[in-house]
């Protein structure tokens, strides 16, 4: 519980601490292992994925070794070191707000099962993202197990001198009658037990997390949970074990608990079993999180008369080469189509003011989308930094006698994806999206 905490900003560098520098080779090997075993959640192709990890880069500048975060946000624990990466829309001093927003964004994402989004209170501090979700699991599960202990009927086969349950005829013939022990009955029966597979999974997860948690209060909460499950067997578990658990309607609250167990088992890695060292990792590509979040909100807020379709991959040319993939295609009742593309970048950072922060390549990309989708309108959606003021939408028109449509109109829009509370942020974001995609505009 005396782990070292290192906080990085996405795409920013920091001097490599001695604790990592002295174990750099092992750390890189660990990162490679995670990279190869991570689930392909975000449309990755096995042919395109590098065999070397893409979470961090290690650079030497002026004779000093630096660690640079790439596009992945979240956290990773390696032995006694915790590295957390916050989105580039925030500063180091705003890490609590950054992880709070990441939690809110993930609540709208459909490609990532993040079961803590609706459980962690808005008032709860998230200075350290891994600690917050471990604390959430410990508190939620302790209350659940202590108030509604889960018992389950499990089938047993036992040889007894009296009838219990039903006679297992085949086993009785094979093991009792054939050996002259006719009085030994082989019976199948079901027993309502607390020592069942679900509670074994919960206990295994709690023990594993008690090794990696940093806070004494969190460790104490996990120990209380383990104590309640004292009579449950200590058996190992994997994420796939959670898929075998089924509930009746009286235990529906345990579904969230199973989702949390699956999350921890899916994002943790064991090494050196003799030392019981637990490694833990939850890193997500932020551009995909932003895209998934905007799609989720857009789908919820727009009227049902507007069909919102997700990513569509197709070829730009008749020869079926040069793939293109737009983020969203909106189709209106009058069959008008609008192409929307999320750009997870600081809009005004690299381009001249008269270009409204749009790069040349982004503009070319949107023109290609419009031509392929036979659309005259496209919208580029950019995130605003925390506490950054919004700017007016900027329109650009492309004319060509070769186009069937009169002209292509491309609009750049700032999206307020941060706010003091989730409700304020979502309300402002919904108002912006309604205005941008209003069929009358």
């Amino acid at each position: 519980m005396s782990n070292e905490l290192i906080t990085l900003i996405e795409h920013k560098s920091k001097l490599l601490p001695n604790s990592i520098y002295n174990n750099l080779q092992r750390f890189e090997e660990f990162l490679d292992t995670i990279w190869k075993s991570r689930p392909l959640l975000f449309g990755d192709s096995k042919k395109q994925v590098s065999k070397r990890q893409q979470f961090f880069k290690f650079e030497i500048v002026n004779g000093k070794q630096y660690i640079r975060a790439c596009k992945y946000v979240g956290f990773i624990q390696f032995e006694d070191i915790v590295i957390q990466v916050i989105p580039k829309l925030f500063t180091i001093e705003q890490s609590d707000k950054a992880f709070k927003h990441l939690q809110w964004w993930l609540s709208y994402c459909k490609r990532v099962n993040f079961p803590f989004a609706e459980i962690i209170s808005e008032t709860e501090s998230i200075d350290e993202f891994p600690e917050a979700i471990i604390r959430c699991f410990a508190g939620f599960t302790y209350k659940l197990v202590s108030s509604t202990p889960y018992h389950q009927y499990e089938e047993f086969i036992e040889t007894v001198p009296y009838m219990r349950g039903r006679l297992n005829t085949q086993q009785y013939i094979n093991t009792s009658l054939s050996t002259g022990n006719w009085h030994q009955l082989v019976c199948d029966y079901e027993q309502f037990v607390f020592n069942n597979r679900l509670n074994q999974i919960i206990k295994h997860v709690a023990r594993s997390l008690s090794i990696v948690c940093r806070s004494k209060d969190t460790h104490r909460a996990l120990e209380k949970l383990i104590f309640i499950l004292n009579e449950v067997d200590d058996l190992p578990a994997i994420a796939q074990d959670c898929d075998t658990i089924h509930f009746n309607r009286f235990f529906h609250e345990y579904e969230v608990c199973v989702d949390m167990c699956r999350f921890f088992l899916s994002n943790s890695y064991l090494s050196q079993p003799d030392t019981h060292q637990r490694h833990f990792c939850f890193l997500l590509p932020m551009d995909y999180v932003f895209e998934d979040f905007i799609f989720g909100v857009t789908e919820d807020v727009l009227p049902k008369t507007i069909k919102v379709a997700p990513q569509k991959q197709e070829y730009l040319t008749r020869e079926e080469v040069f793939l293109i993939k737009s983020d969203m295609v909106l189709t209106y009742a009058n069959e008008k189509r609008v192409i929307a593309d999320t750009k997870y970048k600081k809009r005004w950072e690299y381009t001249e003011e008269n270009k409204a922060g749009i790069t040349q390549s982004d503009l070319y990309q949107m023109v290609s989308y419009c031509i392929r989708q036979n659309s005259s309108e496209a919208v580029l959606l950019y995130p605003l930094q925390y506490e950054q003021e919004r700017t007016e939408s900027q329109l650009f028109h492309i004319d060509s006698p070769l186009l069937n449509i009169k002209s292509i109109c491309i609009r750049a829009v700032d999206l307020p994806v941060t706010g003091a509370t989730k409700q304020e942020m979502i309300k402002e974001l919904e108002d912006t999206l309604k205005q941008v995609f209003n069929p009358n505009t």
Side-chain angles (χ1 to χ4, degrees), residues 197-368:
R197 190 57 184 144
L198 171 59
N199 288 330
Q200 291 164 4
I201 293 172
I202 294 173
K203 188 175 184 180
H204 171 77
V205 171
R207 282 206 186 280
S208 301
L209 294 178
S210 67
I211 299 173
V212 302
C213 71
R214 295 165 53 84
S215 164
K216 291 183 179 179
D217 291 337
T218 306
H219 191 270
R220 195 175 298 116
L222 289 168
E223 288 297 320
K224 287 169 61 179
L225 174 59
I226 294 170
F227 179 77
I228 291 180
L229 300 170
N230 183 56
E231 65 182 81
V232 175
D233 292 340
D234 284 290
L235 296 175
I238 59 176
Q240 288 73 15
D241 292 334
C242 298
D243 300 330
T244 65
I245 306 298
H246 303 284
F247 305 99
N248 60 41
R249 58 188 177 88
F250 298 108
F251 293 100
H252 64 91
E253 288 183 332
Y254 272 91
E255 292 177 2
V256 177
C257 179
V258 171
D259 283 342
M260 288 193 284
C261 289
R262 184 185 292 106
F263 172 86
F264 287 120
L265 292 171
S266 299
N267 295 286
S268 57
Y269 302 83
L270 284 172
S271 69
Q272 303 174 358
D274 54 322
T275 65
H276 303 287
Q277 180 62 55
R278 192 80 177 176
H279 294 320
F280 193 28
C281 171
F282 180 62
L283 291 168
L284 297 172
M286 190 58 213
D287 53 345
Y288 284 103
V289 172
F290 176 64
E291 172 195 314
D292 213 15
F293 166 61
I294 297 303
F295 177 81
V297 177
T298 303
E299 197 175 34
D300 284 350
V301 70
L302 294 186
K304 300 302 179 184
T305 54
I306 304 176
K307 181 182 177 182
V308 183
Q311 284 185 346
K312 184 178 180 181
Q313 184 170 284
E314 55 191 338
Y315 291 104
L316 180 61
T317 66
R318 187 189 303 170
E319 290 74 19
E320 295 190 350
V321 290
F322 302 107
L323 276 172
I324 58 173
K325 184 171 63 175
S326 55
D327 291 343
M328 285 189 289
V329 179
L330 289 81
T331 306
Y332 295 76
N334 60 1
E335 297 187 355
K336 182 184 81 169
R337 301 179 109 193
V338 175
I339 311 300
D341 208 59
T342 57
K343 297 296 179 185
Y344 180 65
K345 59 178 72 174
K346 297 178 182 178
R347 183 176 157 198
W348 298 98
E349 197 167 34
Y350 302 110
T351 62
E352 300 93 325
E353 187 172 345
N354 63 344
K355 294 182 179 179
I358 300 177
T359 63
Q360 199 106 345
S361 60
D362 287 346
L363 194 70
Y364 294 161
Q365 183 185 37
M366 298 311 292
V367 171
S368 300

Side-chain angles (χ1 to χ4, degrees), residues 127-241:
D127 294 320
E128 299 178 28
F129 195 44
E131 195 67 25
I133 60 177
I134 295 174
R135 184 168 61 240
C136 171
F137 168 80
F140 178 87
T141 308
Y142 174 76
K143 289 180 182 177
L144 183 61
V145 174
S146 58
S147 62
T148 315
Y150 181 75
H151 291 76
Q152 185 181 42
Y153 281 105
E154 292 201 355
E155 189 174 275
F156 293 87
I157 301 176
E158 189 176 1
T159 302
V160 290
Y162 52 87
M163 180 62 70
R164 185 177 186 182
R166 60 186 180 276
L167 182 68
N168 188 321
T169 308
Q170 190 61 50
Q171 289 285 350
Y172 176 63
I173 294 172
N174 293 341
T175 62
S176 297
L177 283 183
S178 62
T179 59
N181 296 313
W182 55 270
H183 59 288
Q184 295 292 325
L185 305 177
V186 181
C187 299
D188 293 338
Y189 65 93
E190 292 183 341
Q191 191 171 350
F192 201 49
V193 295
F194 185 61
N195 183 20
N196 53 64
R197 190 57 184 144
L198 171 59
N199 288 330
Q200 291 164 4
I201 293 172
I202 294 173
K203 188 175 184 180
H204 171 77
V205 171
R207 282 206 186 280
S208 301
L209 294 178
S210 67
I211 299 173
V212 302
C213 71
R214 295 165 53 84
S215 164
K216 291 183 179 179
D217 291 337
T218 306
H219 191 270
R220 195 175 298 116
L222 289 168
E223 288 297 320
K224 287 169 61 179
L225 174 59
I226 294 170
F227 179 77
I228 291 180
L229 300 170
N230 183 56
E231 65 182 81
V232 175
D233 292 340
D234 284 290
L235 296 175
I238 59 176
Q240 288 73 15
D241 292 334

Side-chain angles (χ1 to χ4, degrees), residues 68-81:
R68 180 181 181 86
C70 296
K71 68 174 184 178
Y72 290 81
V73 299
F75 62 86
I76 186 167
Q77 177 154 343
F78 174 71
E79 297 181 352
D80 295 329
I81 305 161

Side-chain angles (χ1 to χ4, degrees), residues 32-86:
D32 287 339
T33 301
I34 295 175
W35 179 258
K36 293 172 186 176
S37 60
R38 82 197 194 290
L40 300 177
L41 294 173
F42 302 98
D44 292 335
S45 168
K46 290 185 178 181
K47 295 180 180 178
Q48 299 174 343
V49 173
S50 168
K51 293 183 179 180
R52 297 301 305 274
Q53 63 87 19
Q54 303 294 308
F55 302 125
F56 303 99
K57 290 183 179 179
F58 299 94
E59 308 166 326
I60 297 178
V61 180
N62 296 327
K64 295 183 178 179
Q65 184 87 50
Y66 286 80
I67 181 172
R68 180 181 181 86
C70 296
K71 68 174 184 178
Y72 290 81
V73 299
F75 62 86
I76 186 167
Q77 177 154 343
F78 174 71
E79 297 181 352
D80 295 329
I81 305 161
V82 175
I83 302 175
Q84 56 184 22
V85 184
I86 65 176

